[in-house]
Amino acid sequence: MASQCDTARVFMSGRSQAVRLPKAYRFASDSVRIRREGACVILEPIEEGWAWLDALHEMGPLDADAVEAATEVQGEQSRPELNVFA
């Protein structure tokens, strides 16, 4: 998959490093998830609400393992160390 390659300006904002994203790369939310893979820094939007499920549904039916995990009923747990909150 070929991807477009643009550049962005890196600058200091107070004691933090910041990147001015070109208009085509703007995020619709106020926060992003950030992770590092080797020398790459990856920014991903944090999905709000449940709209991301529509994209999952469009990928086709879930496999048996996914359905089992989603429908599994968890039994009640005994956690006496948490009784201090009762």
Side-chain angles (χ1 to χ4, degrees), residues 5 32 34 64:
C5 185
V32 294
I34 184 170

Side-chain angles (χ1 to χ4, degrees), residues 20-83:
R20 187 175 310 279
L21 295 175
K23 187 175 183 178
Y25 295 92
R26 289 186 183 161
F27 291 97
S29 64
D30 292 335
S31 59
V32 294
R33 182 176 298 113
I34 184 170
R35 62 188 166 91
R36 184 180 293 274
E37 286 190 13
C40 298
V41 175
I42 300 170
L43 302 174
E44 299 172 310
I46 298 174
E47 300 290 343
E48 294 183 17
W50 297 98
W52 61 272
L53 282 174
D54 293 336
L56 180 65
H57 176 68
E58 292 171 5
M59 292 173 53
L62 297 174
D63 63 21
D65 289 338
V67 172
E68 182 181 346
T71 58
E72 182 181 6
V73 176
Q74 296 291 322
E76 187 174 320
Q77 296 179 359
S78 174
R79 310 243 338 238
E81 64 274 9
L82 297 179
N83 288 343

Side-chain angles (χ1 to χ4, degrees), residues 3-8 22 24-25:
S3 64
Q4 182 177 352
C5 185
D6 292 320
T7 60
Y25 295 92

